[in-house]
PDB file of all heavy atoms in Angstrom:
ATOM      1  N   ASP A  14      86.144 109.737 105.350  1.00 96.00           N
ATOM      2  CA  ASP A  14      86.633 110.765 106.275  1.00 96.00           C
ATOM      3  C   ASP A  14      87.497 111.787 105.546  1.00 96.00           C
ATOM      4  O   ASP A  14      87.370 112.996 105.762  1.00 96.00           O
ATOM      5  CB  ASP A  14      87.445 110.143 107.414  1.00 96.00           C
ATOM      6  CG  ASP A  14      86.593 109.407 108.422  1.00 96.00           C
ATOM      7  OD1 ASP A  14      85.345 109.541 108.385  1.00 96.00           O
ATOM      8  OD2 ASP A  14      87.183 108.688 109.260  1.00 96.00           O
ATOM      9  N   PHE A  15      88.381 111.296 104.680  1.00 96.00           N
ATOM     10  CA  PHE A  15      89.263 112.201 103.941  1.00 96.00           C
ATOM     11  C   PHE A  15      88.463 113.144 103.052  1.00 96.00           C
ATOM     12  O   PHE A  15      88.655 114.356 103.083  1.00 96.00           O
ATOM     13  CB  PHE A  15      90.264 111.421 103.084  1.00 96.00           C
ATOM     14  CG  PHE A  15      91.076 112.318 102.192  1.00 96.00           C
ATOM     15  CD1 PHE A  15      92.125 113.048 102.721  1.00 96.00           C
ATOM     16  CD2 PHE A  15      90.781 112.447 100.844  1.00 96.00           C
ATOM     17  CE1 PHE A  15      92.876 113.901 101.904  1.00 96.00           C
ATOM     18  CE2 PHE A  15      91.515 113.290 100.026  1.00 96.00           C
ATOM     19  CZ  PHE A  15      92.569 114.016 100.560  1.00 96.00           C
ATOM     20  N   PHE A  16      87.545 112.586 102.264  1.00 96.00           N
ATOM     21  CA  PHE A  16      86.802 113.423 101.333  1.00 96.00           C
ATOM     22  C   PHE A  16      85.789 114.325 102.039  1.00 96.00           C
ATOM     23  O   PHE A  16      85.480 115.403 101.541  1.00 96.00           O
ATOM     24  CB  PHE A  16      86.148 112.578 100.238  1.00 96.00           C
ATOM     25  CG  PHE A  16      87.152 112.100  99.232  1.00 96.00           C
ATOM     26  CD1 PHE A  16      87.548 110.772  99.209  1.00 96.00           C
ATOM     27  CD2 PHE A  16      87.730 112.957  98.326  1.00 96.00           C
ATOM     28  CE1 PHE A  16      88.492 110.323  98.296  1.00 96.00           C
ATOM     29  CE2 PHE A  16      88.687 112.535  97.415  1.00 96.00           C
ATOM     30  CZ  PHE A  16      89.055 111.213  97.401  1.00 96.00           C
ATOM     31  N   ASN A  17      85.311 113.932 103.199  1.00 95.00           N
ATOM     32  CA  ASN A  17      84.432 114.810 103.971  1.00 95.00           C
ATOM     33  C   ASN A  17      85.189 116.006 104.541  1.00 95.00           C
ATOM     34  O   ASN A  17      84.602 117.064 104.764  1.00 95.00           O
ATOM     35  CB  ASN A  17      83.740 114.037 105.094  1.00 95.00           C
ATOM     36  CG  ASN A  17      82.630 113.164 104.583  1.00 95.00           C
ATOM     37  OD1 ASN A  17      82.003 113.452 103.578  1.00 95.00           O
ATOM     38  ND2 ASN A  17      82.380 112.067 105.267  1.00 95.00           N
ATOM     39  N   GLY A  18      86.465 115.861 104.746  1.00 96.00           N
ATOM     40  CA  GLY A  18      87.269 116.948 105.297  1.00 96.00           C
ATOM     41  C   GLY A  18      88.163 117.646 104.294  1.00 96.00           C
ATOM     42  O   GLY A  18      88.933 118.540 104.663  1.00 96.00           O
ATOM     43  N   ILE A  19      88.053 117.279 103.024  1.00 96.00           N
ATOM     44  CA  ILE A  19      88.970 117.812 102.011  1.00 96.00           C
ATOM     45  C   ILE A  19      88.885 119.336 101.887  1.00 96.00           C
ATOM     46  O   ILE A  19      89.877 119.995 101.611  1.00 96.00           O
ATOM     47  CB  ILE A  19      88.755 117.124 100.644  1.00 96.00           C
ATOM     48  CG1 ILE A  19      89.939 117.388  99.717  1.00 96.00           C
ATOM     49  CG2 ILE A  19      87.439 117.533 100.018  1.00 96.00           C
ATOM     50  CD1 ILE A  19      89.944 116.559  98.455  1.00 96.00           C
ATOM     51  N   LEU A  20      87.720 119.896 102.122  1.00 95.00           N
ATOM     52  CA  LEU A  20      87.575 121.352 102.010  1.00 95.00           C
ATOM     53  C   LEU A  20      88.225 122.095 103.175  1.00 95.00           C
ATOM     54  O   LEU A  20      88.433 123.301 103.096  1.00 95.00           O
ATOM     55  CB  LEU A  20      86.094 121.732 101.918  1.00 95.00           C
ATOM     56  CG  LEU A  20      85.389 121.266 100.648  1.00 95.00           C
ATOM     57  CD1 LEU A  20      83.882 121.489 100.763  1.00 95.00           C
ATOM     58  CD2 LEU A  20      85.937 121.970  99.430  1.00 95.00           C
ATOM     59  N   ASN A  21      88.556 121.391 104.229  1.00 95.00           N
ATOM     60  CA  ASN A  21      89.161 122.010 105.406  1.00 95.00           C
ATOM     61  C   ASN A  21      90.683 121.922 105.421  1.00 95.00           C
ATOM     62  O   ASN A  21      91.315 122.395 106.370  1.00 95.00           O
ATOM     63  CB  ASN A  21      88.610 121.365 106.679  1.00 95.00           C
ATOM     64  CG  ASN A  21      87.113 121.526 106.788  1.00 95.00           C
ATOM     65  OD1 ASN A  21      86.565 122.565 106.441  1.00 95.00           O
ATOM     66  ND2 ASN A  21      86.440 120.489 107.251  1.00 95.00           N
ATOM     67  N   ILE A  22      91.278 121.324 104.396  1.00 94.00           N
ATOM     68  CA  ILE A  22      92.735 121.208 104.336  1.00 94.00           C
ATOM     69  C   ILE A  22      93.305 122.579 103.966  1.00 94.00           C
ATOM     70  O   ILE A  22      92.886 123.184 102.973  1.00 94.00           O
ATOM     71  CB  ILE A  22      93.166 120.140 103.302  1.00 94.00           C
ATOM     72  CG1 ILE A  22      92.630 118.768 103.708  1.00 94.00           C
ATOM     73  CG2 ILE A  22      94.686 120.111 103.166  1.00 94.00           C
ATOM     74  CD1 ILE A  22      92.848 117.683 102.659  1.00 94.00           C
ATOM     75  N   VAL A  25      94.399 124.353 100.149  1.00 93.00           N
ATOM     76  CA  VAL A  25      93.844 123.565  99.045  1.00 93.00           C
ATOM     77  C   VAL A  25      92.837 124.436  98.311  1.00 93.00           C
ATOM     78  O   VAL A  25      92.018 125.108  98.931  1.00 93.00           O
ATOM     79  CB  VAL A  25      93.159 122.275  99.566  1.00 93.00           C
ATOM     80  CG1 VAL A  25      92.379 121.582  98.477  1.00 93.00           C
ATOM     81  CG2 VAL A  25      94.197 121.332 100.131  1.00 93.00           C
ATOM     82  N   ALA A  30      88.916 121.114  95.262  1.00 95.00           N
ATOM     83  CA  ALA A  30      88.564 120.158  96.315  1.00 95.00           C
ATOM     84  C   ALA A  30      87.085 119.801  96.238  1.00 95.00           C
ATOM     85  O   ALA A  30      86.714 118.634  96.391  1.00 95.00           O
ATOM     86  CB  ALA A  30      88.894 120.739  97.685  1.00 95.00           C
ATOM     87  N   ILE A  33      86.550 117.406  93.289  1.00 95.00           N
ATOM     88  CA  ILE A  33      87.071 116.070  93.591  1.00 95.00           C
ATOM     89  C   ILE A  33      86.128 115.348  94.545  1.00 95.00           C
ATOM     90  O   ILE A  33      85.820 114.165  94.357  1.00 95.00           O
ATOM     91  CB  ILE A  33      88.500 116.157  94.177  1.00 95.00           C
ATOM     92  CG1 ILE A  33      89.471 116.643  93.102  1.00 95.00           C
ATOM     93  CG2 ILE A  33      88.948 114.806  94.730  1.00 95.00           C
ATOM     94  CD1 ILE A  33      90.854 116.957  93.615  1.00 95.00           C
ATOM     95  N   LYS A  34      85.649 116.063  95.557  1.00 97.00           N
ATOM     96  CA  LYS A  34      84.707 115.470  96.516  1.00 97.00           C
ATOM     97  C   LYS A  34      83.430 115.036  95.806  1.00 97.00           C
ATOM     98  O   LYS A  34      82.914 113.948  96.048  1.00 97.00           O
ATOM     99  CB  LYS A  34      84.385 116.475  97.620  1.00 97.00           C
ATOM    100  CG  LYS A  34      83.432 115.930  98.658  1.00 97.00           C
ATOM    101  CD  LYS A  34      83.141 116.940  99.742  1.00 97.00           C
ATOM    102  CE  LYS A  34      82.128 116.340 100.714  1.00 97.00           C
ATOM    103  NZ  LYS A  34      81.716 117.275 101.728  1.00 97.00           N
TER     104      LYS A  34
END
Side-chain angles (χ1 to χ4, degrees):
D14 287 349
F15 173 77
F16 285 107
N17 285 331
I19 196 169
L20 293 171
N21 300 322
I22 298 172
V25 170
I33 292 171
K34 181 180 178 184

